[in-house]
Amino acid sequence: MPWRTSLRTKGVDRDVADAALEVVTDDSERAAARRLVTARLRSIERLPPDKQAQRLAGLLARKGYGAGVAYEIVREVLGERAAELADEAAPIE
C-alpha cells in the first residue's frame, strides 16, 4: 500500500501509521479524491475535457492515489459535470 510506505519514509512510527491507516477505508479514500477533483475542477472548467482529465488525474497521482482510482474518480466527476451542463443548456418547456 503506497500510503503505508509514504508514511514510513516520512518517519512515522509503524504502529502509528498502521493505526491511522485502519481508519481509512476505500470509501473514505474515494470521497477525499472526489473532493479534491471537484474543488480543482472549478479552476480549470474553461479547458477542453481531455486537458481537464489529464490535470485532475495528475493531481490525484501527485497526492498518492493509484491510476485506477484516479481515472475512475475523474471520469465520474467529469461525467456528472457534463450532465449538469447539458441540463442547464436544455430548453425549458
Side-chain angles (χ1 to χ4, degrees):
M1 173 177 245
W3 296 109
R4 183 171 275 101
T5 304
S6 176
L7 291 172
R8 293 291 298 140
T9 59
K10 292 178 181 176
V12 176
D13 181 66
R14 174 172 286 173
D15 294 334
V16 173
D18 289 343
L21 291 173
E22 285 179 13
V23 183
V24 177
T25 64
D26 287 341
D27 290 339
S28 66
E29 184 177 18
R30 291 175 56 79
R34 179 177 275 280
R35 283 191 302 273
L36 281 169
V37 167
T38 302
R40 180 60 55 93
L41 182 59
R42 292 183 199 117
S43 67
I44 62 170
E45 281 184 323
R46 296 194 190 282
L47 295 175
D50 61 326
K51 292 292 184 192
Q52 290 177 5
Q54 288 174 348
R55 292 201 181 172
L56 295 170
L59 165 71
L60 293 178
R62 288 188 301 278
K63 297 289 186 178
Y65 292 91
V69 171
Y71 280 106
E72 186 176 338
I73 295 295
V74 169
R75 275 193 303 272
E76 288 174 8
V77 171
L78 290 180
E80 291 167 5
R81 182 64 182 139
E84 289 172 7
L85 291 174
D87 287 346
E88 291 173 8
I92 299 174
E93 295 179 12

